[in-house]
Amino acid sequence: PELAGHADRALTLFEPLTPVVPTNVAARIALLHLPWSRGQLDSALAEGGKAVAAGPARADAYFNLGVAYEAKEDWPRASAAYQAATQRNAKDFQSFLNWSRTLYNQDQYADSLSVAIQASALRPDDPQPYRWQAQSQLALGDTDGALSNLAEALRLRTDDAEALALTSRAYLVRGDTQTALQYAHQSIEASKNNPAGTMALAEHQV
């Protein structure tokens, strides 16, 4: 805890240890996050590669490598890393969720939808995979399917600003401007005290 917010000091302490324990996956992952927190993404990727080499059977090694690739917006490599994580741990919800997102960012909407469905099967009480299903369905032209998944996301969390914004977008696609505006206002209200929600809302505006 005393190193929180002091990445440079933490890196100074951790770096000398890795030659002594080069196969320590946890140490490699820690070293990945230190340069990543400072925006040194190439160094983070190098450590991610070492983590995978040290623990090729470890899902967390591939997950963290995916996080580093995603930070660089290298969607194909991020997708491959998250997929590898799910192959090593078929119950790794976050890897499935991130994999779905990176597939979506490559315009692979059908694949993104399929992976998001797997994520929702792992955690049916989480609204996030339903949102990603809806995103892909909207891209594929399945407005009814998108609205069904968004209804489930909002049942689970009524103040989900992203789901509300996506619902607004879906109704706009349908040509129902009045309902679209209602959901847009709700999404703005839900995101007022949530900067992340405000950013997500901006991304979903049409």
Side-chain angles (χ1 to χ4, degrees):
E2 62 270 16
L3 295 178
H6 301 283
D8 291 334
R9 183 182 172 199
L11 188 60
T12 301
L13 291 173
F14 273 101
E15 271 186 328
L17 299 177
T18 53
V20 179
V21 283
T23 59
N24 188 322
V25 179
R28 290 295 180 191
I29 290 173
L31 281 171
L32 179 159
H33 282 279
L34 290 169
W36 178 82
S37 69
R38 297 184 298 178
Q40 298 174 355
L41 300 181
D42 289 333
S43 296
L45 283 171
E47 289 301 334
K50 292 173 184 177
V52 166
R58 293 272 298 264
D60 57 344
Y62 281 94
F63 172 80
N64 282 279
L65 180 62
V67 168
Y69 276 125
E70 196 171 359
K72 289 202 75 170
E73 299 187 359
D74 187 338
W75 312 125
R77 287 189 174 90
S79 289
Y82 291 135
Q83 181 179 15
T86 66
Q87 290 168 342
R88 286 153 180 80
N89 180 1
K91 296 183 179 180
D92 187 346
F93 169 78
Q94 195 62 49
S95 287
F96 276 104
L97 192 66
N98 290 14
W99 182 17
S100 175
R101 180 173 64 233
T102 54
L103 287 168
Y104 180 89
N105 287 335
Q106 297 174 76
D107 301 330
Q108 296 180 24
Y109 304 124
D111 291 336
S112 176
L113 174 60
S114 176
V115 173
I117 289 171
Q118 294 178 71
S120 62
L122 288 172
R123 197 176 294 176
D125 59 346
D126 192 308
Q128 296 177 89
Y130 298 105
R131 289 202 315 260
W132 284 106
Q133 289 176 56
Q135 290 242 63
S136 293
Q137 287 168 317
L138 282 172
L140 292 166
D142 182 6
T143 308
D144 289 342
L147 284 170
S148 177
N149 275 308
L150 289 166
E152 181 61 17
L154 290 170
R155 184 187 70 80
L156 293 167
R157 183 180 171 189
T158 58
D159 63 345
D160 188 323
E162 293 180 63
L164 290 164
L166 276 171
T167 303
S168 172
R169 180 172 143 197
Y171 277 108
L172 194 60
V173 169
R174 267 192 173 180
D176 187 345
T177 306
Q178 184 175 357
T179 305
L181 284 172
Q182 290 173 356
Y183 277 100
H185 287 307
Q186 290 180 53
S187 67
I188 291 168
E189 288 298 316
S191 63
K192 275 184 176 177
N193 297 315
N194 181 358
T198 303
M199 291 173 60
L201 174 61
E203 291 172 1
H204 294 316
Q205 294 297 325
V206 178

